Amino acid sequence: MVDGSSKLELRKLAKYFGDVRAVDGIDLKIATGESVVLLGPSGCGKTTTLRSVAGFIQPDGGEILLDGNVIATDTNMLPPEKRNLGMVFQNYAVWPHRTVFQNVSYALVIKKRPKQEISDRVYRALELVQLSGLQDRYPGELSGGQQQRVALARAIVAEPAMLLLDEPLSNLDAGLREEMRFELKELQERIEMTTLYVTHDQEEALVLADRIVVMSNGKIEQVAAPTDIYLRPATQFVADFVGINNIIEGKVEDTDQTGGRVRVSQEYGDPFWASGPKDVVAGLSKGAGVSVSVRPEAIRVNGAAEDDNPSINARVKASAFLGNRFDLRLDIKGREFRCQVPQMDFGDEVNVNINPELAWVIA
Ligand code: ATP
């Protein structure tokens, strides 16, 4: 459950390595109980941000607040062990020569908690990650997915203020990774723990996040719910990085301010309507250049015209069967467009039209 108060707050957080602005003045608030995923390509600053929160890296600028208290600035640092954070890192493996129980109980033993309390809490954590009964095994006697659950149990056993995860599933094979995504999501919801998660895998981010933070070059491109990141990208970077996209460049022909819509003239056919953020639409004047993000789902093949958008002639260049749908590559006036259809009940020449609700004007 997400409540209104901020568990974690980054204020103008900055970290530089020589000339590299690894984290370049980012602001972010994470509510109690919220699951936030940092998503972006390699080198965009995700891990540096997470490690700054964990306390392994001191910022060069800005502040980090946990539960309203400043825990890091460029001059002051609360050490990692005093931050009360649970961590699961890709390289933060479980100890091979300790049993599951010994691995999971470690944080409580260090804190010198009474024996009974330690065992109660360890069994509870193992139950939460669905490892009940395996407390006496050694990691070598567990599957990769089970080992990662041990790491999770170890991270949550001391009831940390927050859970930090850095690519925790990247060493698992594809099938297991997919399964673990859902398990992690369920666990996060069950224990209502505030979570900050780093990944470069967009599907993982879409499944796990209440909100996704898309980063590029040390800066935040967009912070939004997964559906908004996918359907309403704020920048061309987000549109390109998340999912398949067709970007159409055009010019403003007309605007409908109340509906938040723009009529765009472009080279592939008659002008079509697209949607956009109301403030962006309000700022557009006739003749201005715009980019429109058109997801594969926004393109309808041989259907009834969507709203008042015109049909465009296209040729099917290639198709691939993906099990539950077909992936099509269309040629429209020499340019390739990607779209997906449930059935291939048409020939090479088709008419397509663009759903005005799903075509999104990028600022
Ligand atoms: P990846 O997905 O590959 O882990 P990332 O988004 O997590 O990438 P960071 O690891 O945060 O990116 O790195 C951000 C930038 O800072 C990169 O250009 C990286 O080379 C640089 N960087 C990170 N750590 C150091 C360091 N200790 N010394 C020098 N440069 C560093």
Side-chain angles (χ1 to χ4, degrees):
M1 196 187 69
V2 177
D3 81 17
S5 61
S6 276
K7 174 60 73 178
L8 182 78
E9 190 175 344
L10 310 180
R11 289 185 186 156
K12 303 263 168 293
L13 181 69
K15 181 70 196 175
Y16 313 124
F17 296 106
D19 289 344
V20 177
R21 292 172 167 265
V23 180
D24 199 5
I26 64 172
D27 291 305
L28 180 67
K29 281 185 182 176
I30 301 183
T32 301
E34 196 180 18
S35 168
V36 169
V37 174
L38 301 179
L39 175 69
S42 184
C44 72
K46 311 178 293 287
T47 297
T48 305
T49 304
L50 195 82
R51 291 177 67 82
S52 304
V53 175
F56 302 135
I57 288 178
Q58 179 150 19
D60 291 320
E63 294 176 327
I64 302 173
L65 289 86
L66 187 66
D67 287 317
N69 302 310
V70 176
I71 57 167
T73 66
D74 59 343
T75 50
N76 283 310
M77 275 273 279
L78 193 66
E81 65 278 10
K82 297 228 166 108
R83 295 189 182 194
N84 187 26
L85 300 167
M87 297 174 213
V88 181
F89 290 161
Q90 192 186 331
N91 55 358
Y92 203 61
V94 289
W95 295 296
H97 304 299
R98 291 185 186 163
T99 63
V100 168
F101 187 95
Q102 287 165 336
N103 263 284
V104 177
S105 62
Y106 180 76
L108 302 172
V109 173
I110 291 289
K111 287 186 175 170
K112 301 201 166 58
R113 305 307 306 168
K115 247 188 163 155
Q116 187 60 46
E117 182 193 322
I118 292 178
S119 109
D120 288 350
R121 287 169 78 167
V122 169
Y123 287 123
R124 169 90 186 115
L126 290 177
E127 195 185 314
L128 279 170
V129 301
Q130 290 163 3
L131 284 181
S132 294
L134 300 186
Q135 59 278 359
D136 297 325
R137 297 250 189 115
Y138 285 88
E141 299 166 337
L142 299 174
S143 70
Q146 287 171 327
Q147 289 187 29
Q148 208 51 344
R149 279 183 233 168
V150 175
L152 263 173
R154 188 174 62 181
I156 62 176
V157 75
E159 293 176 6
M162 248 186 103
L163 194 55
L164 307 179
L165 304 110
D166 191 353
E167 307 259 8
L169 307 183
S170 61
N171 288 339
L172 306 177
D173 67 53
L176 189 55
R177 200 158 64 217
E178 205 171 315
E179 201 182 304
M180 285 290 288
R181 275 179 205 155
F182 289 101
E183 276 197 24
L184 267 177
K185 176 85 186 153
E186 270 177 34
L187 177 71
Q188 200 268 340
E189 284 170 355
R190 222 162 37 230
I191 61 179
E192 297 179 356
M193 188 168 286
T194 317
T195 308
L196 183 59
Y197 190 106
V198 161
T199 186
H200 63 268
D201 180 329
Q202 41 174 296
E203 281 185 28
E204 211 164 288
L206 293 169
V207 170
L208 282 164
D210 292 322
R211 283 187 305 151
I212 296 176
V213 178
V214 181
M215 290 182 72
S216 149
N217 286 327
K219 289 195 155 70
I220 292 178
E221 291 274 332
Q222 187 173 8
V223 184
T227 45
D228 284 337
I229 292 283
Y230 187 78
L231 292 173
R232 291 176 273 280
T235 65
Q236 180 133 5
F237 179 87
V238 176
D240 286 337
F241 187 71
V242 183
I244 299 168
N245 214 331
N246 306 288
I247 302 281
I248 297 181
E249 308 283 349
K251 285 208 163 72
V252 175
E253 177 97 359
D254 198 359
T255 57
D256 160 15
Q257 304 285 349
T258 33
R261 303 203 314 173
V262 185
R263 195 149 175 258
V264 181
S265 60
Q266 33 69 41
E267 59 188 294
Y268 305 104
D270 291 334
F272 70 98
W273 285 99
S275 304
K278 286 210 167 139
D279 57 330
V280 170
V281 173
L284 291 173
S285 45
K286 200 172 169 188
V290 280
S291 300
V292 183
S293 150
V294 179
R295 295 285 186 199
E297 300 81 353
I299 299 180
R300 175 101 71 103
V301 178
N302 278 0
E306 289 277 353
D307 207 321
D308 33 342
N309 272 350
S311 289
I312 301 169
N313 293 327
R315 190 173 59 79
V316 179
K317 279 205 312 185
S319 67
F321 179 51
L322 299 179
N324 55 355
R325 63 198 191 281
F326 291 86
D327 189 32
L328 296 191
R329 281 156 206 271
L330 301 173
D331 181 309
I332 304 177
K333 293 198 171 164
R335 149 113 198 254
E336 183 174 286
F337 282 79
R338 297 276 299 271
C339 74
Q340 295 189 337
V341 290
Q343 281 172 335
M344 282 280 292
D345 48 1
F346 39 75
D348 283 354
E349 299 295 325
V350 291
N351 282 320
V352 299
N353 54 53
I354 295 171
N355 183 337
E357 306 299 324
L358 297 180
W360 192 251
V361 172
I362 299 167

